[in-house]
Each structure stands twice: as C-alpha cells, then as structure tokens.
Amino acid sequence: MKKHNFSAGPCILPQEVLLKASEAVIDFNNSGLSLIEISHRSKSFVDVMDHASALALELLGLEGKGYHALFLQGGASTQFLMAAYNLLENKAGYLNSGTWSAKALKEAKLFGEVIEVASSKDANYNYIPKGFDIPSDIDYFHCTSNNTIFGTQIKEFPNSPVPMVCDMSSDIFSRTLDFSKFDIIYAGAQKNMGPAGTTLVVVKKDVLGKVSRQIPSMLDYAVHIDKESMFNTPPVFAVYTSMLTLEWLKNLGGIAAIEEENEKKAKLMYSEIDLNPLFKGFAAKEDRSNMNATFNLTDESLKDTFETMAKEAGMNGINGHRSVGGYRASMYNALPLSSVAALVEVMSELERKA
Ligand SMILES: *Cc1c(COP(=O)(O)O)cnc(C)c1O
C-alpha cells in the first residue's frame, strides 16, 4: 500500500518524477547509458543543468533581473556559512525564529559581528517576531521563511533597507511572493524540490564582491556563477530529479496553482486541529505554516491509540521534532489533498472513539 507521506524531509516527491528519475538511472533519454554514469560535461547533462536553472528562475519570476540560479552541494547548512563568507564585512542582522535560524546565526559569527534583530526563542519559537527594525548600517539581513521544526511561516516580509538573504528550504516554490525582494535565496532540495544532495541558491549578482577577504573557490558564489554550477562535479542525480519536479510544477500551472492546493490542505488540517478537542495547535494562529502543521494531543493517554490508528491508516512521518514533541504533518507540494483528508479522518475517528 502506498503510504501517506508527511515526512518533514527528505520528503514526498511526485510519483511521476520518481518514475522518470528511476528510468533515467537505467537508460537516460534512450542513450544506452545511465544518467549517473555519463560525464557531467556531456551536452546531455549540461542541458539538464541549464534547464533546471532556467526553470527555477522562471517559476520564481526572476528571469532577466540579474539573478543566477545555482545547484550546489553541502546542504542548506553550508549556505549558513557561505552567505556570511560572501557578504559579511562588518556586521549582519539575523531574525532568530527557530532552530535553523539560530544555526545560521551561529555560523555567521565566525565572520564578523552579528546582531539578533528579533527572536522568538523565549516562547520556544512558537511565533514569528514582528514589528522590529532592520538597522541600515548592516551588510545584510537574514531570515528563515518557514520554520520547519516549529511550524511557523513568515507571512509578510519586512522591507529591508539592506540586502535580504532568506533560507527558504522548507517552503520554496510553495507560494507566490515577490521574490525580487531577496538578494540571496537558498533551499536544500530535499524539502520541496528533490532528493537530498543539492541546494538551490538564487543569487543577485550585484550583491557580491563587497567583502575584502579571500574566499575559497568552492565557497565563492562568483566562481559558481562563472562556472554555471559546474566548477566541480555536480550531484547529477539530485539536479536531474529537481529539474523533473520543477517541470512537474510548471505543467501544473506554476507556483500560483500549487499555492491554491497548499492552502486547501492547510485549511483542512488546521480546521481539524481547531475543532477537534483532542488536539491543539503548537504555533500562533496567525503564523501557522502552510507546509508544516505542528500539533499535540490534549490528553497524552491517547498517544498509543492515536499512533496505532494512524499507522494502520498508512500515515508516515507524523511524529513531531524532539524539540516540540507531539505531531507534525508536513504538507509539501507533492502531498495530495487526499492524504490530508485521510489524516483528518483518523483524527476525527479518534474523537468519536474517545
Ligand atoms: C532542513 C532545513 C535546513 C538544513 O538543511 P540541510 O540541507 O540538511 O543542511 C536548513 N534550513 C531549514 C529551514 C530547513 O528546513
């Protein structure tokens, strides 16, 4: 039986993407060769890289605006240090809205002064700080659009007087935004775009070249832009599969179309959390993530019953992160509405039984 996959990451991918990717591993475009045994410098793979980068910019509405889309390695975690390496000369400002933000902030401190512009740590990150000022004497402002672990999401981005860097690992391509507000956007592929192994980094080129330090080539955005993500051997399978997901998304109607679906899923999920007395949501209502819904049982004695019922109904990956406990339903782009409906059905059945 196919499972309802609510895994927070690596996450569900569209079935047709998995099929095409597995075919390419055996025989890539009827070439008699596997995708993963050909040269990354061959025309067939260079075409894949070019198409993947072009699709990313097209879907984000950033073509012809001075942006470059790179497919790099080392995960979003490498971007924590790479962004600072490339941009931090004196001082940077970070919004501390969750575990990943805090990790990004920690890495940046290796390169200069870092100020915490605002934080929700005092409330175990159950809300998004608002109403803060971004100083104009900092090199850049860094934020995390969606806090995967806590289930909060920035709904309105500040107007930043300085370049804005955003970790969009867990909600990239899930909702329409004015992406041109950002100077650097990065996202580990494994949350909403593809397999683990590559990280999409969208860089506005004119933000670079302002630091005085030497940057090692592998960590230098300018080098990767110049070499079109081919400075060294790229993770070919992860890039190809990400390209397939981006094609799938474009064929569906792009971000606006998937956003509608994502809103339906989130609405269904949160209305059950709010109406069912056996559950309560973790995140502040106005900051609730459309990607990761976090919730707890109001009566812990029902834990085993609920988890057994969920397992029997084919639910996968609904356990919350250890720092929050309870449950987390990750509803990434490829998760069908019917999976959310199935989970909601288990929750309401628990209410009928209890
Ligand atoms: C998962 C996640 C990361 C870490 O990504 P890696 O690719 O594992 O380094 C960073 N930021 C956010 C928001 C995440 O959800």
Side-chain angles (χ1 to χ4, degrees), residues 83-222:
Y85 221 137
N86 283 262
L87 302 185
L88 180 47
E89 179 73 3
N90 297 308
K91 196 157 59 160
Y94 277 64
L95 179 65
N96 183 5
S97 60
T99 307
W100 298 116
S101 308
K103 288 190 175 178
L105 191 155
K106 175 170 178 267
E107 297 300 292
K109 281 185 174 163
L110 297 169
F111 300 93
E113 188 186 339
V114 179
I115 51 172
E116 195 178 75
V117 170
S119 171
S120 50
K121 188 166 192 250
D122 57 342
N124 198 20
Y125 296 120
N126 74 352
Y127 71 100
I128 298 282
K130 294 170 206 74
F132 51 84
D133 285 322
I134 301 174
S136 53
D137 67 340
I138 53 176
D139 299 319
Y140 65 92
F141 167 70
H142 179 284
C143 58
T144 310
S145 57
N146 184 72
N147 299 286
T148 326
I149 293 174
F150 302 93
T152 61
Q153 187 174 34
I154 299 180
K155 304 294 173 181
E156 232 171 288
F157 287 86
N159 286 313
S160 175
V162 294
M164 184 148 65
V165 178
C166 190
D167 175 0
M168 293 196 188
S169 292
S170 51
D171 70 351
I172 187 122
F173 301 118
S174 73
R175 55 172 169 165
T176 53
L177 283 176
D178 176 4
F179 293 98
S180 69
K181 276 185 117 169
F182 306 93
D183 297 82
I184 293 183
I185 296 168
Y186 61 87
Q190 71 277 13
K191 300 281 166 45
N192 214 10
M193 186 175 69
T198 192
T199 308
L200 172 67
V201 186
V202 177
V203 187
K204 194 169 189 189
K205 202 176 175 187
D206 66 12
V207 82
L208 303 177
K210 308 212 165 109
V211 290
S212 52
R213 72 173 62 84
Q214 297 261 357
I215 305 173
S217 308
M218 269 300 277
L219 299 177
D220 189 343
Y221 291 129

Side-chain angles (χ1 to χ4, degrees), residues 2 9 30 73 82 147 149 218 225 237 272-273 275 282 307 320 331:
K2 182 75 187 153
N30 299 314
Q73 298 183 65
M82 204 163 154
N147 299 286
I149 293 174
M218 269 300 277
I225 290 173
F237 180 75
E272 180 65 21
I273 290 171
L275 294 173
F282 171 79
E307 289 176 12
M331 305 174 286

